[in-house]
């Protein structure tokens, strides 16, 4: 595996409702998880915020199931959820984790670098995004 020396920060799209909820979550979590909250706030700051009805189907948003490949070649499928719904065994990843924050707003085909809790840089590429069935 090659070491990554630069950050990849592709443009991201976030729907207005997700943007508002995630901002509230990040601010509320500043005392408990300052680094993770800051990472999420930074992603939200650079996001292109659009009306919820204008978010393309291939954009990772809350509730989306995302298949991605890591820089080590491993493929993973996860569903992006709020912290209270997270369950790693069931493939539900909190948006308030390094990987969850990296995924929000990406579309199929985009790559991003992210840092794990040990501050090691990793890269992932989104292969497919599936939206939850309408209720």
């Amino acid at each position: 595996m090659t070491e990554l020396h630069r950050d990849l920060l592709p443009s991201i799209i976030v729907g207005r409702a997700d943007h508002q909820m995630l901002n509230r979550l990040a601010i509320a979590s500043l005392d408990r998880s300052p680094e993770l909250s800051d990472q999420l706030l930074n992603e939200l700051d650079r996001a292109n915020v659009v009306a919820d009805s204008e978010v393309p189907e291939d954009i990772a948003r809350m509730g989306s199931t995302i298949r991605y490949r890591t820089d080590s070649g491993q493929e993973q499928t996860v569903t992006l959820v709020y912290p209270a719904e997270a369950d790693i065994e069931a493939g539900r990843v909190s948006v308030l984790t390094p990987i969850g924050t990296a995924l929000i707003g990406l579309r199929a085909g985009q790559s991003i670098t992210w840092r794990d809790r040990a501050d090691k840089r990793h890269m992932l590429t989104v292969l497919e995004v599936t939206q939850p069935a309408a209720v």
Side-chain angles (χ1 to χ4, degrees), residues 64-68 76-80 88 91-93 103:
S64 297
T65 299
I66 303 118
R67 187 169 59 90
Y68 65 90
Q76 191 118 6
T77 301
V78 298
T79 300
L80 197 55
I88 227 39
R92 293 192 305 267
V93 171
L103 289 169

Side-chain angles (χ1 to χ4, degrees), residues 1-6 70-73 113 120-124:
M1 173 170 74
T2 39
E3 189 171 337
L4 301 166
H5 297 286
R6 291 183 317 147
T70 65
D71 48 331
S72 65
T113 52
K120 183 173 190 287
R121 186 182 287 135
H122 300 275
M123 185 180 76
L124 65 81

Side-chain angles (χ1 to χ4, degrees), residues 98-134:
I99 195 85
T101 296
L103 289 169
I104 193 74
L106 290 179
R107 72 178 347 138
Q110 285 184 308
S111 298
I112 192 169
T113 52
W114 59 280
R115 293 182 184 266
D116 63 21
R117 294 176 198 260
D119 204 34
K120 183 173 190 287
R121 186 182 287 135
H122 300 275
M123 185 180 76
L124 65 81
T125 301
V126 174
L127 303 173
E128 179 181 19
V129 177
T130 307
Q131 301 306 329

